[in-house]
Amino acid sequence: MERERTALEQARLEKIQRLREHGIEPYPTRSEVTHTTAEARALFEREEASANPNPVAATLAGRLRAVRPMGKITFAHIEDGSGRIQLFFRANELGQEALDGFNHEYDLGDFIQASGTVFRTRTGEVTLQVQSFKMLAKALTPLPAAKDEVVDGEVIRHAALTDPETRFRQRYADLAVNPEVREIFRVRAATVAALRRYLDAQGFLEVETPILQPIYGGAAAKPFVTHHNQLKQDLYLRISFELYLKRLLVGGLDRVYEIGRDFRNEGVSFKHNPEFTQLEFYMAYANYLSIMQMTEEMISFASGQVLGTQKIQFNGHEIDLTPPWRRLSLRQGLIETAGIDIDQFPEVESLLAAMRAKGMNPNPHAAWGKLVDGMLGDFLEPTLIQPTFLYDYPRDISPLAKSKPGDPQTVERFEGFIGGMELCNAFTELNDPLDQEARFLEMGREYAADDEERHPMDEDYLRAMSYGMPPSGGFGMGIDRLVMLLTDHHSIREVILFPHLRSREEE
RNA sequence: GGGCGCGUAGCUCAAUGGUAGAGCAGUGGCCUUUUAAGCCAUUGGUUGAGGGUUCGAGCCCCUCCGCGCUCACCA
């Protein structure tokens, strides 16, 4: 490593030297830890409450987060995965030399181990009276947080690490220093676990389908391209799982789901990361109306499991996830927000004119459905704060959804919106192989030949359809956005451990 | 990709174009129930990088790098 050591790191290097000179290994291979800090506290409080309290002896380990030396005594706090506990070092117990050793060679950020008995200080804090201690892992670089203060049980950080660039590039430091960041990822894991539990209980089978795909599809998005050297074949990182999961319906797996990563080669924003986590499920003999019910049930179940409530705070709004959610047709929603009844303008030209008359600046080359979708995003989406199902979408932006009976230009599709953000997308799946082929051909016409979002013809998918797929409902949801809602964060980067940042030259 | 803004010590932040500072962290010392412990002393900087204007640039101008917001884009 060529990087120069800072003065602070130099000082710690010298401490490592001195420890070794005294025969102390700063990175030992074993720890003798007996309890987490939370276990030790709970054990002590139980003993304390009993008629004949027994002393609680424990060896605790964690990262040194605060030190207060006071001459012949020193107070410190260590932090492990379960929380913090105070340590009390006394020269009487340890000898002046050992105490001096702690005060001089141990730093904030070091992992240490301390053995002793638990007691309560005069101020009432459960504390380990240290009889012996040792270094578990010396931190060479100081953590980027200066100091913590506990006020009414709340930990207040002073000069906490807040610079977003450092936080995301050095997520380890962010996590080490900002406990609420660790909490986001506990919520995230619990959310995914709750969704799995829900789907498993409904008899769904969890599956894994290819990430490297010879033909991408299932969404309108630009893919990442990669190459298999030995096969001499370009491959795409998947933009959705849809076409593979529906092949499984053909194969007789009636209820399947997959939770995994999608990749889209597009701009990044507060709600877009180049790779993101998606849940898709497909259910034979279901349709978009039954999937709608299942969606509100599943999301409110997850919220209840993770947060213990259906009422969440997001962006200053209280949002109630309790079913049933509002149902609003896309047409009605646009009448109310954009002031345009799309049924009255069934042609691109007339819709363009109507939009211009309203002072909009539509893309003159867009297909009809894309114009509708644009108005949805501009006018309707920001108003959908409380959970809302928007339903019945234009056929030409939904090439995998089944048309409504008697209304071939509209498909049985809905999207779920919460907090002004699209959360999920679902439809009655198109299972007519001839109609599906016609849709693929339409896509080729409606989109310019150089539009990278154009759906490539997937012959194998059509072959699968031609074997017969049961009538089905399908569903897709961005897990990252759900976690944003449940944790009240407004940037997708906050809920992804290592969000994408432009790489930076470091000497 | 466009527009706007930001980048100063390990962290959080100051500094009319005129000697780069503070708090915390660090270092040395005092202190036996503290909890942002306190007190005394003290170290620490290529002001993101490079160029320009000027007697003089952290500050003004240009280029580049990175980050943020925003627009475009985004089922």
Side-chain angles (χ1 to χ4, degrees):
Chain A
M1 166 138 63
E2 296 298 315
R3 188 167 69 92
E4 275 183 39
R5 300 288 181 197
T6 66
L8 297 180
E9 290 171 328
Q10 281 296 342
R12 291 177 175 215
L13 271 175
E14 286 161 19
K15 293 179 185 188
I16 288 174
Q17 285 299 330
R18 284 199 294 273
L19 286 170
R20 290 214 160 107
E21 282 162 14
H22 286 81
I24 297 168
E25 170 52 47
Y27 302 98
T29 57
R30 297 288 186 278
S31 163
E32 290 73 33
V33 63
T34 59
H35 303 78
T36 67
T37 61
E39 287 168 351
R41 174 177 290 104
L43 206 56
F44 174 78
E45 284 172 349
R46 207 175 316 140
E47 286 298 330
E48 200 178 33
S50 76
N52 293 334
N54 293 309
V56 174
T59 298
L60 305 179
R63 200 193 270 280
L64 201 49
R65 292 309 308 276
V67 182
R68 294 177 294 282
M70 305 180 59
K72 301 276 187 294
I73 60 169
T74 291
F75 288 94
H77 275 95
I78 57 169
E79 180 179 75
D80 66 8
S82 73
R84 290 184 176 212
I85 200 163
Q86 181 167 257
L87 306 181
F88 179 45
F89 300 79
R90 239 170 93 168
N92 293 17
E93 250 86 4
L94 298 160
Q96 189 63 47
E97 195 182 337
L99 184 61
D100 288 344
F102 179 79
N103 287 336
H104 286 105
E105 314 302 354
Y106 285 54
D107 287 296
L108 297 181
D110 294 351
F111 283 94
I112 70 165
Q113 164 180 307
S115 307
T117 52
V118 185
F119 76 111
R120 202 178 274 278
T121 62
R122 246 177 240 168
T123 52
E125 181 163 353
V126 175
T127 299
L128 185 75
Q129 166 107 39
V130 177
Q131 273 123 36
S132 66
F133 62 91
K134 81 171 187 182
M135 182 70 75
L136 290 181
K138 183 80 187 156
L140 190 52
T141 305
L143 287 173
K147 200 172 261 195
D148 293 349
E149 175 186 18
V150 180
V151 176
D152 301 330
E154 296 269 310
V155 177
I156 297 175
R157 261 151 299 126
H158 298 273
L161 176 64
T162 55
D163 174 45
E165 184 169 358
T166 310
R167 286 188 51 227
F168 297 138
R169 284 193 197 281
Q170 301 186 36
R171 192 60 121 158
Y172 34 87
D174 185 31
L175 287 161
V177 140
N178 292 325
E180 73 281 5
V181 176
R182 297 198 289 265
E183 183 58 23
I184 293 169
F185 294 98
R186 287 193 197 98
V187 168
R188 183 175 176 127
T191 302
V192 173
L195 294 171
R196 277 209 169 90
R197 211 173 308 132
Y198 180 85
L199 290 166
D200 291 345
Q202 305 283 321
F204 279 80
L205 183 72
E206 182 171 9
V207 299
E208 294 177 275
T209 61
I211 291 174
L212 296 175
Q213 302 181 348
I215 298 176
Y216 61 93
K222 296 171 197 160
F224 287 93
V225 189
T226 186
H227 187 76
H228 191 294
N229 291 339
Q230 208 247 314
L231 298 179
K232 294 186 169 56
Q233 178 185 20
D234 280 343
L235 293 167
Y236 301 96
L237 273 62
R238 66 181 173 193
I239 58 173
S240 87
F241 325 151
E242 174 152 4
L243 299 183
Y244 280 93
L245 291 178
K246 287 198 309 211
R247 284 171 167 97
L248 300 179
L249 295 176
V250 172
L253 302 178
D254 281 350
R255 297 184 177 192
V256 293
Y257 74 95
E258 179 166 4
I259 295 172
R261 213 66 65 81
D262 274 343
F263 306 86
R264 296 188 183 176
N265 203 343
E266 292 167 349
V268 299
S269 80
F270 72 95
K271 51 182 178 176
H272 298 271
N273 195 60
E275 53 182 296
F276 61 99
T277 301
Q278 185 89 348
L279 161 67
E280 290 189 25
F281 71 74
Y282 293 85
M283 186 175 185
Y285 316 113
N287 59 70
Y288 80 141
L289 295 176
S290 52
I291 298 292
M292 226 181 258
Q293 273 188 336
M294 210 176 134
T295 300
E296 60 196 7
E297 193 179 298
M298 180 174 71
I299 303 293
S300 59
F301 171 80
S303 176
Q305 292 280 299
V306 173
L307 302 177
T309 175
Q310 320 290 336
K311 294 189 172 61
I312 61 170
Q313 293 295 324
F314 184 72
N315 215 357
H317 298 99
E318 183 177 280
I319 293 174
D320 188 355
L321 300 174
T322 308
W325 296 357
R326 179 186 180 207
R327 282 142 168 86
L328 177 68
S329 76
L330 174 54
R331 177 191 169 207
Q332 185 61 33
L334 287 177
I335 289 172
E336 289 171 10
T337 56
I340 289 182
D341 180 354
I342 54 175
D343 278 7
Q344 292 188 14
F345 308 101
E347 308 298 334
V348 172
E349 293 72 24
S350 61
L351 185 57
L352 278 171
M355 290 172 71
R356 291 198 184 102
K358 289 280 179 186
M360 303 174 202
N361 186 24
N363 175 358
H365 305 296
W368 188 83
K370 279 217 158 190
L371 294 173
V372 172
D373 197 44
M375 286 193 288
L376 192 178
D378 290 345
F379 300 100
L380 188 47
E381 181 171 5
T383 71
L384 302 177
I385 304 299
Q386 295 298 322
T388 303
F389 292 124
L390 221 53
Y391 64 91
D392 289 353
Y393 276 64
R395 166 191 168 103
D396 63 351
I397 52 169
S398 314
L400 301 163
K402 207 166 189 170
S403 293
K404 273 177 82 85
D407 183 1
Q409 290 311 310
T410 304
V411 295
E412 292 197 347
R413 170 179 171 190
F414 74 83
E415 293 183 311
F417 293 83
I418 303 179
M421 197 164 59
E422 180 198 334
L423 180 68
C424 59
N425 178 29
F427 32 88
T428 304
E429 300 296 337
L430 178 53
N431 64 341
D432 175 342
L434 301 177
D435 192 6
Q436 184 66 76
E437 182 171 15
R439 302 289 192 92
F440 279 145
L441 291 171
E442 276 171 37
M443 292 304 290
R445 277 200 300 277
E446 300 263 357
Y447 283 68
D450 59 351
D451 188 334
E452 293 178 79
E453 293 176 8
R454 200 161 63 106
H455 275 240
M457 177 72 79
D458 190 334
E459 299 286 357
D460 181 71
Y461 180 72
L462 289 175
R463 178 167 58 195
M465 287 301 103
S466 72
Y467 278 110
M469 186 179 95
S472 306
F475 172 91
M477 173 173 70
I479 298 285
D480 311 277
R481 290 189 185 175
L482 178 59
V483 176
M484 287 166 69
L485 287 166
L486 294 180
T487 61
D488 195 13
H489 281 94
H490 316 113
S491 166
I492 198 169
R493 285 183 297 265
E494 292 289 347
V495 303
I496 292 175
L497 277 169
F498 298 99
H500 179 74
L501 295 182
R502 193 173 268 107
S503 54
R504 187 177 208 181
E505 300 254 331
E506 299 211 40
E507 64 277 33

